[in-house]
Structure formats: C-alpha cells, structure tokens
Amino acid sequence: MPQIPEKIHELTVGQLAARSGAAVSALHFYESKGLISSRRTAGNQRRYHRDALRRVAFVRAAQRVGIPLATIREALAELPEERTPTREDWARLSEAWRAELEERIKQLNRLRDHLTDCIGCGCLSLDTCVLSNPDDVFGQSRSGSRLMVERGGSRQRRERG
C-alpha cells in the first residue's frame, strides 16, 4: 500500500483509491451521494482531506453489513468536518446500528434454518411458512397463499395476456 507523507493533508482521487481500496468510480459515487466530499483545484481536479480515508473505510464496512447508504450518510453527517474521527466517534455511530444488525442476524439465521424445508415442501402457505410469514403476521388479514398470488399476480396476468 502506498504511503502518503504526513505533511500532505489532501489526497488526489488516485491516492484515495489506492489507500482505501475503493475504485475511483466508487469514490465518485460516494461523493455524489454526499458520503465524502472534495474541493476542486484551479485545474478542476478533486482533492480530498485525509479524513476521507476513514470515512471511506466506514462506508465500506457499513455497506458490507447491509446498512443503507442513506443511513450511512446520516451517520457521517454527525462527524466533525476536516478531522479524523476518533474511536469514540465510531463507537457512538456503530452502537446505533446494533439493534438493526441483531434483527438482521436473527432473520438470516431463520432463513438458513428453514430454507431447505421451505424449498422442499412447496406449500406456499402463509399460515405456516416461516420465511414468507414469520410469526404468522399475515394471519389476521389473509389466509392461504394469497400473498404469493398478489406478489406474482401481475406477472402471471402479463404471461397469459
């Protein structure tokens, strides 16, 4: 990994890409979504403050665990500008996502544990299907495989028509 001298406070997009492991196109995308920012030189080249390295690392880590970009942007907006976020800054932000991640883990475990049964049974029953209807949440308003018909109904009508 190329080292950048400490006295350099701004990075080119190429330097940021090399150090962060993100493609230049990804950095441009992150910037367009308000996740990182740059200034333009007189020659219209992007220059990123060094704290962009940590911000890009944060974005990529959050994306890997499925945090939506809008949520990541909100979190990054709470960080101070032009200074490298501290461990305490990151801990505060990541703590807010803990409950959401725990719920996702629970859902993924349920999917893993019941996927073979679901594919094998072919029941399409909303009353009993632990994947389409966990904890029978549709039991109060629907019965049978209505949700499956409603989801695929427009496609089935197009195929017949």
Side-chain angles (χ1 to χ4, degrees):
M1 178 178 333
Q3 294 297 314
I4 299 169
E6 286 293 320
K7 66 182 177 187
I8 297 176
H9 298 289
E10 291 186 319
L11 308 174
T12 66
V13 70
Q15 289 171 322
L16 183 58
R19 287 294 308 270
S20 68
V24 169
S25 59
L27 296 173
H28 291 168
F29 176 75
Y30 293 162
E31 189 171 356
S32 74
K33 297 298 180 185
L35 302 169
I36 60 174
S37 62
S38 67
R39 73 167 185 88
R40 296 292 183 138
T41 66
N44 203 28
Q45 296 175 333
R46 288 177 168 94
R47 291 294 185 263
Y48 296 90
H49 195 269
R50 288 183 74 95
D51 71 306
L53 281 168
R54 291 264 173 101
R55 290 172 187 270
V56 170
F58 182 74
V59 168
R60 294 182 66 169
Q63 283 184 298
R64 275 194 296 275
V65 296
I67 304 297
L69 288 179
T71 304
I72 297 169
R73 184 177 48 249
E74 290 169 10
L76 288 172
E78 294 181 28
L79 294 176
E81 288 292 325
E82 307 252 334
R83 94 160 155 78
T84 301
T86 64
R87 180 178 299 271
E88 292 77 23
D89 291 330
W90 296 125
R92 179 177 39 79
L93 292 176
S94 63
E95 184 61 34
W97 297 339
R98 186 170 298 280
E100 183 179 342
L101 291 175
E102 290 296 334
E103 182 58 31
R104 287 183 188 195
I105 290 168
K106 187 172 133 182
Q107 290 172 353
L108 286 170
N109 283 332
R110 183 172 33 232
L111 175 64
R112 179 201 60 215
D113 294 345
H114 296 287
L115 188 59
T116 302
D117 295 339
C118 183
I119 292 171
C121 81
C123 73
L124 301 179
S125 170
L126 284 180
D127 288 333
T128 60
C129 184
V130 297
L131 295 178
S132 295
N133 187 23
D135 304 320
D136 195 24
V137 295
F138 295 115
Q140 300 300 319
S141 61
R142 299 179 178 129
S143 62
S145 58
R146 283 185 177 169
L147 184 62
M148 299 302 256
V149 171
E150 289 172 16
R151 284 183 179 167
S154 59
R155 185 186 63 194
Q156 290 170 350
R157 282 191 291 278
R158 282 194 309 265
E159 290 172 359
R160 281 187 246 150

